[in-house]
Amino acid sequence: MHSTERPMGGQGGGTQRKVTPLTGFQGDTVWAPSILPHSTLSTLSHHPQPHFGRKMESKVSEGGLNVTLTIRLLMHGKEVGSIIGKKGETVKKMREESGARINISEGNCPERIVTITGPTDAIFKAFAMIAYKFEEDIINSMSNSPATSKPPVTLRLVVPASQCGSLIGKGGSKIKEIRESTGAQVQVAGDMLPNSTERAVTISGTPDAIIQCVKQICVVMLESPPKGATIPYRPKPASTPVIFAGGQAYTIQGQYAIPHPDLTKLHQLAMQQTPFPPLGQTNPAFPGLDASPPASTHELTIPNDLIGCIIGRQGTKINEIRQMSGAQIKIANATEGSSERQITITGTPANISLAQYLINARLTSEVTGMGAL
């Protein structure tokens, strides 16, 4: 460990808690979560409930955070360009100097995912290099502008929604502790990223504050592994019309229906976890056991002139969205003087995420002139 890093949970370790070994991974895991010890990634696809307490115990307790992690960052195109550099020179230098693997998602999307994998010290070095590069960009842009106060460096992490509770802590205690001890601002998004079970965690501050903040977030992630399935966020260029057939999701591209595995997984997850079973139906495998996650509510507003494409003729479209997502969806009546209508979606995170995706897909197809589908 570098001398600047404090041992986790050792004598005089300040407010940081002892890192406990990871055991008791709940539920079937479909995807490798964003932040997870690397030694477990290969076991996830074979064992629905891996127990990795023993293997990691010595590593964690002896050397603080001596494990391999994967952290995902969400970046805009301009930020990605800065990280890649001319002919890829900047990212090549970052890879060589940090020892971390840095991968950037393909595509011409406005947003890209940057994946950083490696031992924790390599990840922290890579984060430091990215934070200092962004600070350099801010300083360069300020030399051409009259602004006098320097804006903070901002990074967005992508974190499984099931881990966000641990990151926030009881009554916001953990996130408050991280803010106070690092000096960085940390915000956890209230909504999941589209078509996924992940949330954006925004960190802003000086590069040094950001690095300390990332270290503390990693400790929390290791102490509280994700629960259940994690469907990773994948930026999309633009949403396209969606159809479901035989439990599979397809997107319409031209005259063809293309299978969409991410949406299919979200659809299946939504169907498994719906908190509103059809009347008279119970779960025969687990009599008396309620395995459904608690229902939550999400609200959004839609312009009056677009509400028709969501409802469809005699309510066909909205009923289809209800059926596909497993969510309860209520559309408020029009109020005088308002040009918008309120939509309330109730269900599990998977239900809500899928309903939101389908509503957005309807809006996009209407606006782009494909509303006939």
Side-chain angles (χ1 to χ4, degrees):
M1 294 287 274
H2 297 295
S3 56
T4 53
E5 291 179 22
R6 287 179 294 172
M8 306 300 169
Q11 292 298 312
T15 54
Q16 288 167 323
R17 292 174 290 167
K18 186 172 187 291
V19 179
T20 51
L22 302 173
T23 53
F25 200 94
Q26 301 298 311
D28 291 344
T29 302
V30 180
W31 295 84
S34 299
I35 299 183
L36 201 63
H38 217 65
S39 56
T40 65
L41 291 182
S42 58
T43 63
L44 289 179
S45 54
H46 309 299
H47 306 293
Q49 290 186 301
H51 294 278
F52 30 84
R54 219 170 331 163
K55 189 186 279 187
M56 278 191 52
E57 195 161 11
S58 58
K59 284 185 176 181
V60 175
S61 55
E62 283 168 21
L65 272 177
N66 183 22
V67 286
T68 300
L69 299 175
T70 293
I71 298 184
R72 284 151 47 82
L73 283 166
L74 188 56
M75 289 190 192
H76 294 300
K78 197 175 174 186
E79 294 170 325
V80 170
S82 169
I83 297 300
I84 293 171
K86 267 187 192 153
K87 297 181 183 174
E89 282 170 13
T90 308
V91 75
K92 185 175 177 237
K93 187 181 174 199
M94 285 180 177
R95 285 174 181 139
E96 285 169 0
E97 290 189 14
S98 69
R101 285 212 305 274
I102 303 172
N103 291 325
I104 297 162
S105 66
E106 295 294 322
N108 53 352
C109 310
E111 292 181 317
R112 308 272 283 277
I113 296 285
V114 177
T115 307
I116 306 173
T117 305
T120 44
D121 57 346
I123 281 187
F124 300 148
K125 272 185 208 160
F127 257 93
M129 293 177 83
I130 290 170
Y132 282 114
K133 179 71 179 82
F134 283 179
E135 186 180 53
E136 190 186 305
D137 295 342
I138 289 168
I139 292 165
N140 289 341
S141 67
M142 282 181 68
S143 62
N144 305 323
S145 80
T148 50
S149 60
K150 191 172 74 173
V153 174
T154 300
L155 293 179
R156 286 182 299 164
L157 305 187
V158 181
V159 176
S162 61
Q163 290 178 295
C164 288
S166 305
L167 191 54
I168 294 165
K170 203 170 185 180
S173 57
K174 188 67 199 171
I175 202 162
K176 184 169 180 268
E177 181 192 311
I178 293 173
R179 284 176 186 142
E180 288 174 358
S181 63
T182 65
Q185 277 301 312
V186 192
Q187 285 182 312
V188 178
D191 296 328
M192 283 188 282
L193 290 157
N195 191 24
S196 79
T197 57
E198 294 190 304
R199 291 188 191 187
V201 176
T202 306
I203 310 171
S204 56
T206 64
D208 290 342
I210 285 174
I211 297 154
Q212 291 306 320
C213 186
V214 168
K215 288 180 183 181
Q216 294 208 24
I217 288 172
C218 286
V219 176
V220 176
M221 297 303 169
L222 285 166
E223 288 178 333
S224 309
K227 297 176 183 68
T230 297
I231 295 173
Y233 174 57
R234 292 186 180 174
K236 294 280 183 290
S239 53
T240 51
V242 181
I243 56 169
F244 289 88
Q248 301 290 312
Y250 300 86
T251 52
I252 307 297
Q253 292 177 18
Q255 298 176 343
Y256 301 97
I258 313 293
H260 195 311
D262 291 355
L263 268 184
T264 298
K265 284 202 174 78
L266 194 56
H267 174 53
Q268 288 165 353
L269 189 64
M271 292 301 99
Q272 282 168 16
Q273 297 187 336
T274 175
F276 317 111
L279 287 173
Q281 283 191 22
T282 54
N283 191 338
F286 304 100
L289 178 68
D290 178 17
S292 299
S296 56
T297 297
H298 177 77
E299 292 181 346
L300 62 152
T301 51
I302 303 286
N304 271 339
D305 53 353
L306 288 174
I307 202 76
C309 77
I310 302 292
I311 297 171
R313 189 173 291 166
Q314 295 180 325
T316 51
K317 287 295 172 193
I318 193 69
N319 285 337
E320 202 177 273
I321 293 172
R322 285 180 181 127
Q323 202 178 338
M324 297 307 169
S325 65
Q328 282 187 351
I329 305 170
K330 289 178 184 164
I331 299 174
N333 293 328
T335 52
E336 264 190 64
S338 171
S339 61
E340 293 182 322
R341 299 274 283 278
Q342 184 115 352
I343 297 182
T344 306
I345 307 170
T346 307
T348 65
N351 299 143
I352 291 170
S353 190
L354 187 51
Q356 273 182 282
Y357 181 90
L358 294 171
I359 287 168
N360 287 333
R362 284 296 307 152
L363 290 172
T364 305
S365 60
E366 183 72 12
V367 171
T368 55
M370 297 170 72
L373 288 160

